[in-house]
Amino acid sequence: MAVACTQLSSAMKKLITTPEGNLLWEALISRRFTGYSMMPRALRPKCFRDEYVTRVSHPRVGDCVEVLWQGKFYSHTLGEHGTMGFEGKAWWQASIVARELDVNSESTPNHSDSPAGGQYYYRAHFPGWEAKWDEWITRGQIRWPKPLDYTSEIDIGDHVEVLLESTRVPSVWMEGEVKKVTIDIDGIELFLVTGMKRPRHIW
């Protein structure tokens, strides 16, 4: 098995360096990010794999991301759930509106949020909120939106994220640990998660 994996890894490395492999990475990056399919040939990256890694590691202005924020959230800011409250880590939808490189920052070139010669800082704008709530953040506070998982079973002790929907601002992902599982009168499972004041269905 180890030999087979080694051979596969070697084959993948060779594929990356071929024109065919470059076309695969070009297709991947074009599906995920806009602008590449219409890019003039003179401006096209020579290696789309390297370009893909750079794009994922260092978001650019205009990218839609999720930003980590920790604190208390109340019903008057998150709209429709009158008795809803949460305290802990949450991921908020945001867009990158500015990016600056701090060349005076001590950084390790191999670290994902530290390009050679400094560190990027990003200004995040949160849809539905005024610009006064924009924040300058580091790469460590940013993640790309994750696909929803409707198939995994959830049990007590699992680390999960709860989607708190709102009519006023975009929905927010709340992190927590499942403490209790109950069934409501309609047969729907409800989960009590750390940081939340009442059981809630997990999306």
Side-chain angles (χ1 to χ4, degrees):
M1 183 65 179
V3 174
C5 289
T6 301
Q7 292 175 343
L8 178 61
S9 177
S10 177
M12 288 299 294
K13 289 180 179 179
K14 290 181 179 179
L15 177 61
I16 289 172
T17 59
T18 64
E20 292 78 10
N22 201 43
L23 288 174
L24 293 176
W25 282 103
E26 180 181 1
L28 179 62
I29 199 172
S30 296
R31 285 198 301 267
R32 182 160 185 176
F33 302 103
T34 60
Y36 286 94
S37 59
M38 302 298 293
M39 185 178 292
R41 182 170 296 276
L43 300 178
R44 297 168 71 82
K46 292 183 178 179
C47 179
F48 278 96
R49 175 188 177 277
D50 292 346
E51 177 70 8
Y52 184 87
V53 172
T54 299
R55 285 291 284 113
V56 172
S57 300
H58 309 299
R60 298 176 182 174
V61 173
D63 285 342
C64 295
V65 297
E66 293 177 350
V67 173
L68 178 63
W69 196 90
Q70 184 165 357
K72 295 182 179 180
F73 310 93
Y74 300 99
S75 58
H76 71 275
T77 58
L78 291 176
E80 57 189 311
H81 303 288
T83 60
M84 196 62 194
F86 178 86
E87 181 176 1
K89 293 182 179 179
W91 293 92
W92 294 74
Q93 295 180 38
S95 59
I96 302 300
V97 295
R99 185 180 76 169
E100 293 186 1
L101 180 63
D102 182 2
V103 295
N104 297 318
S105 175
E106 295 183 1
S107 62
T108 303
N110 292 330
H111 196 274
S112 63
D113 66 352
S114 302
Q119 174 175 283
Y120 281 124
Y121 288 89
Y122 306 85
R123 182 169 180 170
H125 173 72
F126 303 92
W129 298 85
E130 297 179 9
K132 67 179 182 180
W133 296 105
D134 291 0
E135 290 187 1
W136 282 98
I137 56 178
T138 63
R139 181 63 178 87
Q141 296 168 263
I142 298 173
R143 76 176 185 186
W144 296 100
K146 293 184 176 182
L148 297 180
D149 180 5
Y150 294 104
T151 59
S152 297
E153 294 186 0
I154 300 173
D155 204 349
I156 295 175
D158 288 346
H159 183 83
V160 298
E161 294 185 13
V162 181
L163 182 63
L164 183 56
E165 298 175 298
S166 172
T167 57
R168 301 182 184 179
V169 295
S171 303
V172 182
W173 287 104
M174 308 294 193
E175 288 191 15
E177 182 178 308
V178 177
K179 293 297 185 183
K180 183 180 179 181
V181 181
T182 61
I183 305 292
D184 69 4
I185 58 175
D186 296 318
I188 297 176
E189 283 187 309
L190 298 176
F191 303 86
L192 181 61
V193 178
T194 53
M196 310 195 83
K197 295 182 179 180
R198 62 179 174 84
R200 182 170 174 79
H201 179 63
I202 292 180
W203 295 87

